[in-house]
Amino acid sequence: MYQAVRGTQDILPDDAPYWRHLENTIHDLCARYGYRRLEPPLFEETSLFVRGVGEGTDIVEKEMYSFTDRGGRELTLRPEFTAGVMRAYIEHGMHTWPQPVKVYSIGPAFRYEAPQAGRYRQFHQVNVEAIGEQDPAVDLEIMSVAWDLYETLGSQGLSFQLNSTGCPACKPVYIRHLVAYYEQHLDDICPDCRRRLQRNPLRVLDCKVESCQPIIEAAPHMRQYLCAECAEHFATLLGYLDLLGRPYTLNHRLVRGLDYYTKTVFEVWAGEGLGSQNAVCGGGRYDGLIEELGGPPTPGIGFAAGLERIILTMKAQGIAIPQLPAPQVLVAHRGAAAKARAVVLASELRAAGIATLLAFGQRSLKAQMREADRAGVRFTLILGGDELAAGEVTVRDMSAAEQQRVAPAEIAGWLKRRL
Ligand code: HAM
């Protein structure tokens, strides 16, 4: 028996209303903020992610689905959207467009991670980017889009985690101090942290191992080492957040797992429903990324949110969603000639914009009525020998258990007045 590959899952029809509602909410919200859709391809050259996301990151070191295609190209299924969106920005000369270029995408991403609740190998993100402007008001806007998304959906108990990771001027100074501090504690930290100190020192702040926690708590904070420009940028952002009354938690341990971040970084954590995978959203500024990928120096900021995780929290919190409309009409028939007429009638009704089911096969009228009941339609249209002879259709109102005859030419209008 074939099964869905480990870490992947089917989105079954019962879950469709969640996806539809979430996607509609995203489209409406992005339009309200002036973001337009940009969909990069599912796969890109592997080196784009290696340079963009960063060589020492978990994603590049152990999570990418990379392959060589039949033409010998080294390709990777996107583990995230940002690198591809920046490639598109450069490739299409978007620096000549009015700045910032504000775009969003929705679709699957792929990471070879250990699957668990809320963590998959194929998952979906909404990804939002504002490229070409360094005003902290853009940081506020990006965070507000994320905030409004959860507010519109009705999510409860979220917390906004916020930090600044500095820039190429101040970040290395901080890293030197952090490493010097950790070197005094080499015997007390876990082997992973010892390795991180060599390859990607900021990630020591992410460590979950119990014995490392006191060391992290007493570690120097990035915010103490911000250069004047980064400190002012951060202070202005905090001022704006306070003006709007947006609650946030300053988190000196928040460094994010991708290399491109500068200045502002943030995550949204879910209060309940997700267990250990509680980040429903993560993002930040990446002012050096476009240059790193071969474009002109261009600032940018964005975030991505995991749609499966949002849906899990919506379910855990019992958030009601609009149900999708189901067909309200079924066409039943008795005899071959009536079935031919039923096929045409169902097609005409759909063309008139009425969602309609056609009973398949040659079953008894009783069996077709049971089908109509199960489908929950309001009206069953019946065509049999009598109806054909009279040039009429019998319409049965399923809730009132009443029926009447209507002329075929009038049936669409008759139904529309009642549905
Ligand atoms: P990220 O933090 O790696 O950031 O992912 C963003 C969100 O995607 C996470 O908060 C989580 O909700 C979801 N996610 C990530 N991995 C998985 C997984 N294996 N299973 C389910 N959900 C997952 C980025 O991807 C950056 N590109 C965000 C960004 C955009 N930064 C600037 N612009």
Side-chain angles (χ1 to χ4, degrees):
M1 261 258 284
Y2 286 114
Q3 291 190 327
V5 172
R6 189 167 147 75
T8 70
Q9 54 187 345
D10 301 304
I11 298 172
L12 295 174
D14 277 352
D15 268 350
Y18 284 96
W19 288 86
R20 171 89 158 252
H21 179 57
L22 187 50
E23 285 168 13
N24 286 347
T25 306
I26 291 166
H27 293 311
D28 290 351
L29 187 62
C30 287
R32 207 186 309 153
Y33 278 88
Y35 287 71
R36 298 187 299 155
R37 193 152 184 191
L38 184 165
E39 291 297 344
L42 281 184
F43 52 85
E44 302 267 2
E45 280 180 53
T46 297
S47 64
L48 174 73
F49 298 116
V50 175
R51 280 178 72 182
V53 175
E55 215 147 359
T57 59
D58 282 355
I59 290 181
V60 168
E61 273 192 349
K62 44 192 188 201
E63 293 173 1
M64 294 208 301
Y65 280 92
S66 300
F67 59 98
T68 311
D69 79 358
R70 288 171 194 275
R73 297 174 195 85
E74 297 299 331
L75 304 175
T76 293
L77 297 183
R78 63 183 179 208
E80 58 112 47
F81 285 70
T82 309
V85 174
M86 297 313 126
R87 194 258 320 128
Y89 179 93
I90 299 167
E91 183 174 341
H92 300 285
M94 293 186 202
H95 63 281
T96 63
W97 298 9
Q99 306 292 297
V101 172
K102 306 204 297 186
V103 290
Y104 73 103
S105 323
I106 306 179
F110 306 85
R111 295 183 193 176
Y112 190 80
E113 293 195 81
Q116 52 176 275
R119 197 206 275 160
Y120 314 102
R121 290 181 174 170
Q122 176 178 327
F123 57 99
H124 293 75
Q125 287 187 336
V126 51
N127 186 81
V128 183
E129 313 280 4
I131 314 159
E133 174 61 66
Q134 44 190 332
D135 185 346
V138 184
D139 304 41
L140 174 78
E141 177 170 294
I142 281 288
M143 293 178 70
S144 299
V145 174
W147 193 266
D148 285 1
L149 173 62
Y150 299 114
E151 205 162 76
T152 311
L153 292 171
S155 306
Q156 305 284 326
L158 298 175
S159 81
F160 240 103
Q161 305 286 315
L162 183 60
N163 195 16
S164 175
T165 55
C167 68
C170 53
K171 193 192 258 190
V173 180
Y174 170 64
I175 292 177
R176 274 204 301 281
H177 281 84
L178 184 69
V179 172
Y181 162 82
Y182 261 79
E183 275 166 354
Q184 300 160 13
H185 299 279
L186 283 181
D187 295 338
D188 309 321
I189 60 176
C190 70
D192 270 351
C193 278
R194 258 175 253 139
R195 208 168 36 82
R196 288 182 187 118
L197 275 186
Q198 304 297 325
R199 294 192 57 89
N200 201 345
L202 282 181
R203 296 311 301 273
V204 296
L205 298 171
D206 249 4
C207 182
K208 306 282 183 301
V209 173
E210 197 56 44
S211 55
C212 290
Q213 302 311 306
I215 317 274
I216 300 174
E217 278 315 311
H221 292 193
M222 177 69 223
R223 287 199 303 283
Q224 299 159 340
Y225 294 88
L226 292 179
C227 63
E229 188 196 316
C230 288
E232 193 193 328
H233 185 97
F234 199 55
T236 309
L237 172 61
L238 297 188
Y240 289 151
L241 287 167
D242 292 341
L243 263 180
L244 292 189
R246 301 248 191 234
Y248 55 86
T249 305
L250 293 180
N251 181 346
H252 77 95
R253 299 178 53 165
L254 189 71
V255 290
R256 307 272 302 130
L258 302 88
D259 273 359
Y260 45 65
Y261 291 111
T262 54
K263 294 197 170 86
T264 312
V265 288
F266 67 95
E267 286 187 354
V268 180
W269 294 353
E272 60 177 291
L274 275 182
S276 57
Q277 301 303 310
N278 70 342
V280 285
C281 158
R285 232 175 217 289
Y286 44 79
D287 291 348
L289 178 58
I290 291 191
E291 206 176 349
E292 170 68 33
L293 296 177
T298 312
I301 179 164
F303 77 86
L307 302 191
E308 285 84 357
R309 290 190 190 174
I310 297 179
I311 290 174
L312 282 173
T313 51
M314 288 171 73
K315 287 183 176 172
Q317 299 183 353
I319 293 174
I321 40 148
Q323 289 302 307
L324 298 180
Q328 292 295 303
V329 175
L330 180 136
V331 184
H333 42 82
R334 197 166 37 195
K339 180 166 181 191
R341 185 64 203 109
V343 167
V344 174
L345 179 60
S347 161
E348 286 169 354
L349 291 178
R350 291 169 190 144
I354 299 170
T356 304
L357 301 173
L358 172 71
F360 295 127
Q362 305 279 1
R363 287 166 298 154
S364 69
L365 211 47
K366 210 167 143 194
Q368 296 179 61
M369 286 314 216
R370 273 202 301 275
E371 178 185 344
D373 262 336
R374 269 198 306 272
V377 296
R378 265 193 68 198
F379 298 105
T380 304
L381 311 188
I382 303 163
L383 285 161
D386 289 356
E387 283 83 1
L388 287 194
E392 289 173 335
V393 178
T394 296
V395 183
R396 185 175 175 85
D397 181 331
M398 301 300 283
S399 53
E402 282 168 8
Q403 50 190 51
Q404 68 185 93
R405 294 275 182 101
V406 180
E410 283 156 28
I411 187 73
W414 189 96
L415 287 167
K416 277 188 175 167
R417 281 193 296 280
R418 288 162 179 79
L419 287 172

